[in-house]
Amino acid sequence: MSNGDVIAERLLHLGGSAQATIPVRLERPVPDGNDYRCYYSMGWTTGEYRGYAIGIDAFQSIIFALQRIGTEIYTSKAHKEEHLYWLEMGGGFGFLLPDNLSDLREGDDK
């Protein structure tokens, strides 16, 4: 059901020995029955991960997708090994996290 219409992209970076760019993309929400589905993708070095979030309207599906992206990043092996960054190491990633993971926030995300 993905329409492939990317509405936002952010490039994260892997430091250390990996030295790679990790694109994070958010697609335009699409109707899904009475709800909306918002797809996103992350171009990890091990391959692209695609996911989605469902909300009762387009705004809610975007908010939930941003939270899922934040969760994926903050719980990733790349972050845990402290090699993943956006603008600077330890500065945060600029994505939302659900309240139950708020203790993982760092840098400007706090």
Side-chain angles (χ1 to χ4, degrees), residues 53-67:
I54 295 177
I56 59 173
D57 63 11
F59 277 109
Q60 189 178 53
S61 69
I62 290 171
I63 291 167
F64 288 164
L66 293 173
Q67 287 181 335

Side-chain angles (χ1 to χ4, degrees), residues 15-30:
S17 61
Q19 296 293 318
T21 299
I22 309 296
V24 179
R25 295 182 180 99
L26 185 71
E27 295 182 15
R28 182 180 311 283
V30 293

Side-chain angles (χ1 to χ4, degrees), residues 10-107:
R10 175 168 292 161
L11 300 177
L12 304 180
H13 308 282
L14 275 178
S17 61
Q19 296 293 318
T21 299
I22 309 296
V24 179
R25 295 182 180 99
L26 185 71
E27 295 182 15
R28 182 180 311 283
V30 293
D32 184 5
N34 291 327
D35 299 317
Y36 279 79
R37 185 178 295 234
C38 185
Y39 287 90
Y40 63 91
S41 64
M42 303 173 75
W44 296 110
T45 57
T46 56
E48 182 180 59
Y49 173 80
R50 290 188 49 77
Y52 64 88
I54 295 177
I56 59 173
D57 63 11
F59 277 109
Q60 189 178 53
S61 69
I62 290 171
I63 291 167
F64 288 164
L66 293 173
Q67 287 181 335
R68 292 204 54 196
I69 291 168
T71 299
E72 299 275 344
I73 291 169
Y74 271 105
T75 61
S76 71
K77 180 180 176 184
H79 175 63
K80 289 177 183 176
E81 293 176 355
E82 299 186 33
H83 294 117
L84 187 66
Y85 66 97
W86 175 30
L87 299 174
E88 61 183 37
M89 194 67 72
F93 301 100
F95 288 104
L96 302 174
L97 277 174
D99 289 341
N100 64 332
L101 295 177
S102 63
D103 60 315
L104 296 179
R105 292 183 181 119
E106 64 181 36

